[in-house]
Amino acid sequence: MKYQRTEFEEVFADVAFESDKDNSRLEVPISRKTPYIFLTFIFLLFSFFWVRTLWLAIFEGEQWSLIAARNTERVFPILAPRGIIYDYSGEALVENVPIFRIVVDLTRMPQDKNILASQLGYIAKSLEIPQSELEDRLAKSESSTNLVLIREVKQENAVELSLIQAQNDIFWMSIESVPERVYRDSTAFAHVLGYTSEVTKEDIGSQANYLPTEEIGKTGIEASFDGILRGITGKNIFVVDAKGKTDKTFIEQEAKSGKNIRLTIDSKLQKALFKSLAQETKKAGARSAAAVALDPRDGSVRALVSFPSYDNNAFAQGISSEDYSKLISDNAKPLLNRVVSGLYPSGSVIKPVVGLAALTEKVITPQKRISDPGFITVSNIYDPSIIYTYRDWKAHGSTNFVEAIAESCDVYFYTVGGGYGDIIGLGIDRLAGWLRQFNLDKETGIDLPSEVNGLIPTPEWKEKEKGEPWVLGNTYHLSIGQGDLLVTPIGLATAISSIVNGGTVYKPKLIESIFEKKDFENKTEGQVINKISASEENFNWVKRGMRAAVNSSEGTAKLLNQVKVSVAAKTGTAQVGSKRTHAWIAAYAPYDDPELVVVVLIENGGEGSIAAAPVAKAALDAYFEDKDQ
């Protein structure tokens, strides 16, 4: 028998095939460690879950319960009534009046656009406003939680909306009764009280505790003491179901009213000053003015008026865009508080300060007479052929200290300020130093927003700001309140008050007390800014000059001699252009025992003795009308 030859590759393939068959049938025993490892893993896994459950239940249970509660609760703030602001005598200047408004919870708004549109339609129909207006307000909301949809609705609308809300499941809407500010004599007190208005995105960014549905003080006392007047907001809890509908409500925290404030303001004087300032400003053909009255004994502000004014109720009750645009586009700037934010050359009202400096520095004696032909001339130090002439408003002849203040003699103050003839004047360094003693280059610190610093020019300032050297003429101009000198009415009133009281520069005080109940008032004290380094005798010489301005035949403030108490004063006419002048006056009374300083400015009003003096007279008449002197 013949056998077919077998190739080597076939033998190798058969062997490999048999080997694979054996391996496929082979049962490899499991290692003894494997079950233990598996059981250990299962045990550890269940132990972890058991321990974690115990930890959550025992140690974090309360926290997670709160989180769960928050998922079913919605917090609506209960706005606290703001504190009441009173005048010095206890008369309320503002009150809280309850109104109804519509607030929406943006987190509970229907996701279905058709449902939302239908519900907005019901609301719009009830309020008789376009539905698109409501949709725009929702679209423009800067808040992600709550939004005041309608700021104020009538009581009958509020009742109707409550029925519509219940009938149509508008659970995301809340009709609230909240207090609204109503200001009395709003235009007369606007720049003192300020106003409240809705919180903006910027407000919330600056204060973490502001709520998107509350109103805060925006300017005036309302802003400066917002934290005191606001009180403590309460919490109204809405428990909602899975669909977002309200299941029940309860009050978690009652709102606490803000504290009350009693101002130093005298309402009668404030209204009289506002009325007279408005009348005399219009009579002078001017558009803007400012006036302030201080008690020189402690800096208390008895009246503060900026004209033109505005109706702060318009802001507190929701000013329209059109009305707001008119206010901010008005060239007379009714929103500007000129008493603290206006900067003006002082004119001759600064002369009592310069005079006190000259006496104290022994530049002049009260009896020394200076000849005033109506001007002085000074030669250029580099070219004597160039002559500079510095004019007075009239020729006063031979003049002493008292007469110089009473008659507002410019040549006299050119001489004692910059020097002339045989008299070496104060010079710019001493002159600027004395003006700084009276705090005229700084804020007074009055409790009102937006106060600005005054400006006392110096050689260093002029070189830096104008790139020019200081010359003698600059010192002459500064000596009579001209040139680059700028003051605020409140700063000038503070300076004059410190002359009147014998040298104490007080911070103007607007707050008499802060209290919750009138029986427990926490009264404030006057704060001293500086003490002027001058003798009582020199202060008295200055005051004699101011008295002579009223009761002498050549005095510039003779109109005030008609007031029933003795008055002292200094007028000023500050040049602000080739043909324009600001009218100033600073007056105080009674002369022997001062209790009121009045400073009046009428922008572009002409002469102080003509335009500003009648305002000061009206203020003094009103203040002393019922006082026995």
Side-chain angles (χ1 to χ4, degrees), residues 390-404:
Y390 299 92
R391 300 189 179 279
D392 205 330
W393 64 280
K394 76 170 189 176
H396 295 273
S398 178
T399 308
N400 64 22
F401 183 85
V402 170
E403 293 165 345

Side-chain angles (χ1 to χ4, degrees), residues 13 79-80 124 187 257 293 307 327 372 419 485 507 536 591 602 610:
L79 300 186
T187 53
S257 299
F307 184 83
L327 282 174
D372 177 7
L485 175 68
K507 170 187 172 181
E536 181 180 355
Y591 170 67
I602 299 181
I610 297 174

Side-chain angles (χ1 to χ4, degrees), residues 5 18 28 40 44 54 57 139 155 166 222-223 238 277 402 410 429 432 466 490 527-528 531 550:
R5 182 180 177 182
E18 291 297 326
V28 180
T40 301
L44 291 175
L54 285 177
Q155 184 173 358
E222 292 278 27
F238 287 71
L277 189 66
V402 170
D410 288 343
D429 291 338
K466 297 185 175 183
I490 189 64
Q527 297 181 33
V528 177
K531 288 278 191 177
V550 175

Side-chain angles (χ1 to χ4, degrees), residues 210-439:
Y210 284 159
L211 300 172
T213 58
E214 73 174 319
E215 301 201 348
I216 60 171
K218 293 289 187 172
T219 187
I221 291 295
E222 292 278 27
S224 296
F225 293 88
D226 184 67
I228 290 172
L229 292 166
R230 278 174 68 208
I232 300 174
T233 303
K235 293 181 181 179
N236 196 8
I237 308 298
F238 287 71
V239 180
V240 300
D241 59 21
K243 295 181 179 180
K245 296 182 179 181
T246 301
D247 184 41
K248 63 178 180 178
T249 66
F250 62 91
I251 295 176
E252 182 179 88
Q253 177 179 309
E254 294 282 358
K256 183 179 180 181
S257 299
K259 292 182 179 179
N260 304 309
I261 291 177
R262 185 158 71 98
L263 302 179
T264 56
I265 294 291
D266 180 320
S267 287
K268 179 182 176 182
L269 176 60
Q270 177 80 12
K271 288 184 277 191
L273 189 56
F274 179 82
K275 180 180 178 180
S276 178
L277 189 66
Q279 290 175 344
E280 296 302 326
T281 299
K282 292 176 182 177
K283 187 184 295 185
R287 296 192 62 197
S288 48
V292 60
L294 303 180
D295 186 332
R297 296 169 294 187
D298 66 354
S300 292
V301 182
R302 297 301 180 207
L304 188 152
V305 174
S306 182
F307 184 83
S309 186
Y310 63 95
D311 181 5
N312 49 2
N313 280 320
F315 285 90
Q317 296 161 22
I319 191 168
S320 67
S321 299
E322 181 181 357
D323 289 341
Y324 182 67
S325 295
K326 288 180 181 178
L327 282 174
I328 61 175
S329 61
D330 188 337
N331 291 333
K333 299 181 179 179
L335 297 178
L336 175 68
N337 187 342
R338 288 172 162 80
V339 177
V340 299
S341 302
L343 283 171
Y344 310 92
S346 69
S348 295
V349 186
I350 204 68
K351 288 175 180 175
V353 174
V354 179
L356 180 68
L359 291 178
T360 305
E361 297 289 346
K362 302 187 185 308
V363 169
I364 198 80
T365 64
Q367 297 78 20
K368 172 73 175 178
R369 289 190 169 273
I370 294 176
S371 177
D372 177 7
F375 62 91
I376 59 173
T377 57
V378 178
S379 300
N380 186 294
I381 59 174
Y382 302 108
D383 184 354
S385 66
I386 300 176
I387 305 297
Y388 301 106
T389 301
Y390 299 92
R391 300 189 179 279
D392 205 330
W393 64 280
K394 76 170 189 176
H396 295 273
S398 178
T399 308
N400 64 22
F401 183 85
V402 170
E403 293 165 345
I405 290 180
E407 300 173 26
S408 199
C409 176
D410 288 343
V411 165
Y412 187 97
F413 285 94
Y414 291 150
T415 303
V416 300
Y420 189 73
D422 62 345
I423 296 177
I424 299 174
L426 287 164
I428 181 55
D429 291 338
R430 286 194 293 179
L431 180 56
W434 272 89
L435 294 175
R436 282 192 289 268
Q437 275 200 63
F438 284 88
N439 203 57

